[in-house]
Amino acid sequence: MALHEHDDRALFLVVAAGRGARAGAGGPKQYRELAGRQVLTRTLEALLGAEPEAHALVVIHRDDLEFYNTAIAPLPEILRARLHAPAFGGETRQDSVCNGLEALAAAGATAAAPVLIHDAARPFVGIDLIRRALDVAQKNGAGVPGVSVTDTIKQTAEDGRIVATPDRAALRAVQTPQAFRFELILGAHRAARDDGRRDLTDDAAVAEWAGHCVFVFAGEAANIKLTTQEDFLQAEKKFVDGKMLNDLPDVRTGQGFDVHAFGEGDHVWLGGVKVAHERGLVGHSDADVLLHAITDAVLGAIASGDIGAHFPPSDPQWRGASSDLFLRHAVELVSARGGKVAHVDATLICEKPKVGPHRDAIRARIAEVMQLPLDRVAVKATTSEHLGFTGRGEGIAALAMATVRLP
Ligand code: MG
C-alpha cells in the first residue's frame, strides 16, 4: 500500500518486535490473549478506531509473521485496509523503530505527517490521549506522554547506596504513543544509526540526542504496558466476557421480585439447580422463583417490560419450561444493545429448604447462564422469622438486583 503524494494523514508505527521474556512462558506478550483477543489486535483496534483516516505499520520479529497474521485477522476489513505490510525489527528497539520509519518513508510518508510510535503491549491507549499526541506532533514537532511519579525515586550506586534523591515534582514516567513530525524523527533515527548509536531506549531519547526539543504532555494512568504475568492477570479483570466495562459508561440498576406457592412435589428449582424438598413449587414453568426475580431485574435495568410480557403464562409453549431460557433471553437483550450485565445480587426468602448447602452450585449455575465470572454473582438467603406467608411455609419469595452497563 502506498500513501498518496502530499498526504499528511496521521501514521501509527506499532513496535511489536520484542520477545517479552518478562511475561513468562506463552510466546511474545503482544500476541498473548487478553480476554479472548490478542494484545496486538486490541492495540491496533484502539489506534485505528480512534483516527478514521490514519494508516498503521507494525514492526514485527522475523519469526512472528504467522502470529502477526493471526492477530490482524479478527480486525474489521475497514481497519485492516489501513494497515501497511509489516516491517521486520532489528536487534534493539531503536533498530526496529528505524526500520519501521524507513518502511513508512518508502511507502511515501510525507515530511509533515504526524507519526505516533506506540508499544504493541499498551492496548489501553485511549482516544483522548491519541488526539493529544497528534496535536503535539503537529504543533511542537516532538512530544511524549508522561504521568506524575507518586513514589519517591532514588538514584543508587552499584552497591545499593543512595547517591541522589531527585525532586519528584519534576519527574515524569514516560509512556507511548510518542509523537513526532515524520521528517524530524526519521532524520534523528538516521543520524543516530549513521553515528553508531543503537542503545537509545525510546524515541524521545533519539530526538533529544539529535538536538530536538521534546515536550511532555499528559499521559493516562490506564495506559499501562503489559510486561509481567501479574500485569496480564490485573488487565484481565477489566474485562467481563470479552467486554471492557469502562467502555460501557451508562450504568443501570434493575430490581426483580417473585413469589411461588408450595404445592405437590419432591423438589424445587432454585437458580437453575434442582433441590430435593418435601414439596414442590407451583407455577406455569419450572417455577424457579430465583431465576424469575433475576430475569425481571435484568429486564428492569434496560426498561424492557417484565418476564410476563416476554413469556406470557397464557402461552402453552412455556409450560414446564426451564427458566434459564427466560434469563438467557433477558441477557441477550442486553447484548443486543451492546451492553453487558456487570453484577447480580439475589436473596431467597424461605424457612425451608435450607439454601446454604446449595448456594455455591446455584451461584455457579447463574454465572454460567449469564456468562459472568463467579465473583459477579451473589446469592443470599434468609428466613422471615416465621412471619408472613414465607414464615408459615406457604411459599418462597426471591428478590434480585442487577447492574447493567450500556454504551
Ligand atoms: Mg415466577
Side-chain angles (χ1 to χ4, degrees), residues 227-242:
T227 306
T228 63
Q229 187 65 34
E230 178 62 22
D231 293 339
F232 272 82
L233 292 175
Q234 287 302 322
E236 283 278 344
K237 291 183 185 164
K238 297 187 184 198
F239 295 89
V240 174
D241 192 25

PDB file of all heavy atoms in Angstrom, residues 227-242:
ATOM      1  N   THR A 227       3.664  -6.102  30.932  1.00  0.00           N
ATOM      2  CA  THR A 227       5.047  -6.569  30.987  1.00  0.00           C
ATOM      3  C   THR A 227       5.161  -7.917  31.687  1.00  0.00           C
ATOM      4  O   THR A 227       5.751  -8.845  31.161  1.00  0.00           O
ATOM      5  CB  THR A 227       5.923  -5.525  31.717  1.00  0.00           C
ATOM      6  OG1 THR A 227       5.751  -4.263  31.068  1.00  0.00           O
ATOM      7  CG2 THR A 227       7.392  -5.913  31.669  1.00  0.00           C
ATOM      8  N   THR A 228       4.567  -8.026  32.861  1.00  0.00           N
ATOM      9  CA  THR A 228       4.704  -9.255  33.641  1.00  0.00           C
ATOM     10  C   THR A 228       3.407 -10.074  33.600  1.00  0.00           C
ATOM     11  O   THR A 228       2.357  -9.577  33.169  1.00  0.00           O
ATOM     12  CB  THR A 228       5.008  -8.917  35.118  1.00  0.00           C
ATOM     13  OG1 THR A 228       3.882  -8.208  35.644  1.00  0.00           O
ATOM     14  CG2 THR A 228       6.257  -8.055  35.254  1.00  0.00           C
ATOM     15  N   GLN A 229       3.512 -11.302  34.087  1.00  0.00           N
ATOM     16  CA  GLN A 229       2.334 -12.176  34.215  1.00  0.00           C
ATOM     17  C   GLN A 229       1.270 -11.487  35.071  1.00  0.00           C
ATOM     18  O   GLN A 229       0.087 -11.554  34.772  1.00  0.00           O
ATOM     19  CB  GLN A 229       2.796 -13.487  34.866  1.00  0.00           C
ATOM     20  CG  GLN A 229       1.757 -14.580  34.920  1.00  0.00           C
ATOM     21  CD  GLN A 229       1.355 -15.064  33.534  1.00  0.00           C
ATOM     22  OE1 GLN A 229       2.165 -15.101  32.624  1.00  0.00           O
ATOM     23  NE2 GLN A 229       0.094 -15.402  33.389  1.00  0.00           N
ATOM     24  N   GLU A 230       1.729 -10.802  36.141  1.00  0.00           N
ATOM     25  CA  GLU A 230       0.815 -10.096  37.047  1.00  0.00           C
ATOM     26  C   GLU A 230       0.046  -8.986  36.294  1.00  0.00           C
ATOM     27  O   GLU A 230      -1.143  -8.780  36.523  1.00  0.00           O
ATOM     28  CB  GLU A 230       1.629  -9.518  38.222  1.00  0.00           C
ATOM     29  CG  GLU A 230       0.842  -8.712  39.240  1.00  0.00           C
ATOM     30  CD  GLU A 230      -0.237  -9.515  39.963  1.00  0.00           C
ATOM     31  OE1 GLU A 230      -0.142 -10.753  40.005  1.00  0.00           O
ATOM     32  OE2 GLU A 230      -1.199  -8.880  40.444  1.00  0.00           O
ATOM     33  N   ASP A 231       0.734  -8.287  35.378  1.00  0.00           N
ATOM     34  CA  ASP A 231       0.063  -7.244  34.577  1.00  0.00           C
ATOM     35  C   ASP A 231      -1.098  -7.854  33.793  1.00  0.00           C
ATOM     36  O   ASP A 231      -2.166  -7.259  33.682  1.00  0.00           O
ATOM     37  CB  ASP A 231       1.037  -6.615  33.560  1.00  0.00           C
ATOM     38  CG  ASP A 231       2.136  -5.819  34.234  1.00  0.00           C
ATOM     39  OD1 ASP A 231       1.960  -5.403  35.394  1.00  0.00           O
ATOM     40  OD2 ASP A 231       3.189  -5.621  33.584  1.00  0.00           O
ATOM     41  N   PHE A 232      -0.860  -9.048  33.233  1.00  0.00           N
ATOM     42  CA  PHE A 232      -1.905  -9.710  32.454  1.00  0.00           C
ATOM     43  C   PHE A 232      -3.090 -10.087  33.349  1.00  0.00           C
ATOM     44  O   PHE A 232      -4.242  -9.883  32.972  1.00  0.00           O
ATOM     45  CB  PHE A 232      -1.355 -10.960  31.753  1.00  0.00           C
ATOM     46  CG  PHE A 232      -0.761 -10.662  30.408  1.00  0.00           C
ATOM     47  CD1 PHE A 232       0.536 -10.184  30.296  1.00  0.00           C
ATOM     48  CD2 PHE A 232      -1.505 -10.831  29.247  1.00  0.00           C
ATOM     49  CE1 PHE A 232       1.084  -9.890  29.051  1.00  0.00           C
ATOM     50  CE2 PHE A 232      -0.970 -10.538  28.002  1.00  0.00           C
ATOM     51  CZ  PHE A 232       0.330 -10.074  27.908  1.00  0.00           C
ATOM     52  N   LEU A 233      -2.780 -10.616  34.541  1.00  0.00           N
ATOM     53  CA  LEU A 233      -3.850 -11.021  35.461  1.00  0.00           C
ATOM     54  C   LEU A 233      -4.686  -9.807  35.863  1.00  0.00           C
ATOM     55  O   LEU A 233      -5.918  -9.864  35.902  1.00  0.00           O
ATOM     56  CB  LEU A 233      -3.257 -11.700  36.706  1.00  0.00           C
ATOM     57  CG  LEU A 233      -2.592 -13.054  36.446  1.00  0.00           C
ATOM     58  CD1 LEU A 233      -1.931 -13.595  37.719  1.00  0.00           C
ATOM     59  CD2 LEU A 233      -3.612 -14.066  35.926  1.00  0.00           C
ATOM     60  N   GLN A 234      -4.023  -8.690  36.153  1.00  0.00           N
ATOM     61  CA  GLN A 234      -4.733  -7.464  36.530  1.00  0.00           C
ATOM     62  C   GLN A 234      -5.570  -6.946  35.359  1.00  0.00           C
ATOM     63  O   GLN A 234      -6.708  -6.522  35.533  1.00  0.00           O
ATOM     64  CB  GLN A 234      -3.739  -6.381  36.970  1.00  0.00           C
ATOM     65  CG  GLN A 234      -3.104  -6.620  38.325  1.00  0.00           C
ATOM     66  CD  GLN A 234      -4.136  -6.748  39.441  1.00  0.00           C
ATOM     67  OE1 GLN A 234      -5.144  -6.057  39.456  1.00  0.00           O
ATOM     68  NE2 GLN A 234      -3.892  -7.677  40.358  1.00  0.00           N
ATOM     69  N   ALA A 235      -4.972  -6.979  34.149  1.00  0.00           N
ATOM     70  CA  ALA A 235      -5.657  -6.441  32.968  1.00  0.00           C
ATOM     71  C   ALA A 235      -6.905  -7.261  32.643  1.00  0.00           C
ATOM     72  O   ALA A 235      -7.929  -6.714  32.220  1.00  0.00           O
ATOM     73  CB  ALA A 235      -4.715  -6.408  31.772  1.00  0.00           C
ATOM     74  N   GLU A 236      -6.836  -8.584  32.852  1.00  0.00           N
ATOM     75  CA  GLU A 236      -7.987  -9.458  32.578  1.00  0.00           C
ATOM     76  C   GLU A 236      -9.212  -9.001  33.361  1.00  0.00           C
ATOM     77  O   GLU A 236     -10.345  -9.137  32.899  1.00  0.00           O
ATOM     78  CB  GLU A 236      -7.672 -10.913  32.970  1.00  0.00           C
ATOM     79  CG  GLU A 236      -6.786 -11.660  31.991  1.00  0.00           C
ATOM     80  CD  GLU A 236      -7.541 -12.226  30.789  1.00  0.00           C
ATOM     81  OE1 GLU A 236      -8.774 -12.310  30.842  1.00  0.00           O
ATOM     82  OE2 GLU A 236      -6.867 -12.560  29.798  1.00  0.00           O
ATOM     83  N   LYS A 237      -8.979  -8.461  34.559  1.00  0.00           N
ATOM     84  CA  LYS A 237     -10.089  -8.081  35.434  1.00  0.00           C
ATOM     85  C   LYS A 237     -10.883  -6.896  34.890  1.00  0.00           C
ATOM     86  O   LYS A 237     -11.976  -6.603  35.367  1.00  0.00           O
ATOM     87  CB  LYS A 237      -9.565  -7.748  36.840  1.00  0.00           C
ATOM     88  CG  LYS A 237      -9.044  -8.975  37.564  1.00  0.00           C
ATOM     89  CD  LYS A 237      -8.612  -8.641  38.965  1.00  0.00           C
ATOM     90  CE  LYS A 237      -7.982  -9.874  39.625  1.00  0.00           C
ATOM     91  NZ  LYS A 237      -7.234  -9.528  40.815  1.00  0.00           N
ATOM     92  N   LYS A 238     -10.311  -6.179  33.921  1.00  0.00           N
ATOM     93  CA  LYS A 238     -11.042  -5.050  33.346  1.00  0.00           C
ATOM     94  C   LYS A 238     -12.120  -5.524  32.382  1.00  0.00           C
ATOM     95  O   LYS A 238     -12.943  -4.743  31.935  1.00  0.00           O
ATOM     96  CB  LYS A 238     -10.085  -4.144  32.575  1.00  0.00           C
ATOM     97  CG  LYS A 238      -9.033  -3.516  33.443  1.00  0.00           C
ATOM     98  CD  LYS A 238      -8.246  -2.503  32.647  1.00  0.00           C
ATOM     99  CE  LYS A 238      -7.121  -1.954  33.494  1.00  0.00           C
ATOM    100  NZ  LYS A 238      -6.590  -0.710  32.961  1.00  0.00           N
ATOM    101  N   PHE A 239     -12.062  -6.813  32.040  1.00  0.00           N
ATOM    102  CA  PHE A 239     -12.992  -7.336  31.047  1.00  0.00           C
ATOM    103  C   PHE A 239     -14.003  -8.263  31.700  1.00  0.00           C
ATOM    104  O   PHE A 239     -13.682  -8.992  32.628  1.00  0.00           O
ATOM    105  CB  PHE A 239     -12.239  -8.145  29.987  1.00  0.00           C
ATOM    106  CG  PHE A 239     -11.302  -7.316  29.162  1.00  0.00           C
ATOM    107  CD1 PHE A 239     -10.000  -7.120  29.574  1.00  0.00           C
ATOM    108  CD2 PHE A 239     -11.724  -6.749  27.976  1.00  0.00           C
ATOM    109  CE1 PHE A 239      -9.122  -6.352  28.826  1.00  0.00           C
ATOM    110  CE2 PHE A 239     -10.863  -5.990  27.218  1.00  0.00           C
ATOM    111  CZ  PHE A 239      -9.555  -5.793  27.640  1.00  0.00           C
ATOM    112  N   VAL A 240     -15.219  -8.258  31.188  1.00  0.00           N
ATOM    113  CA  VAL A 240     -16.204  -9.256  31.557  1.00  0.00           C
ATOM    114  C   VAL A 240     -16.710  -9.831  30.248  1.00  0.00           C
ATOM    115  O   VAL A 240     -17.208  -9.087  29.397  1.00  0.00           O
ATOM    116  CB  VAL A 240     -17.369  -8.638  32.356  1.00  0.00           C
ATOM    117  CG1 VAL A 240     -18.439  -9.678  32.599  1.00  0.00           C
ATOM    118  CG2 VAL A 240     -16.858  -8.098  33.680  1.00  0.00           C
ATOM    119  N   ASP A 241     -16.511 -11.144  30.061  1.00  0.00           N
ATOM    120  CA  ASP A 241     -16.968 -11.805  28.851  1.00  0.00           C
ATOM    121  C   ASP A 241     -16.448 -11.078  27.603  1.00  0.00           C
ATOM    122  O   ASP A 241     -17.174 -10.824  26.653  1.00  0.00           O
ATOM    123  CB  ASP A 241     -18.509 -11.848  28.859  1.00  0.00           C
ATOM    124  CG  ASP A 241     -19.067 -12.774  27.777  1.00  0.00           C
ATOM    125  OD1 ASP A 241     -18.343 -13.692  27.368  1.00  0.00           O
ATOM    126  OD2 ASP A 241     -20.204 -12.556  27.342  1.00  0.00           O
ATOM    127  N   GLY A 242     -15.165 -10.691  27.632  1.00  0.00           N
ATOM    128  CA  GLY A 242     -14.544 -10.060  26.464  1.00  0.00           C
ATOM    129  C   GLY A 242     -14.836  -8.577  26.309  1.00  0.00           C
ATOM    130  O   GLY A 242     -14.274  -7.917  25.464  1.00  0.00           O
TER     131      GLY A 242
END
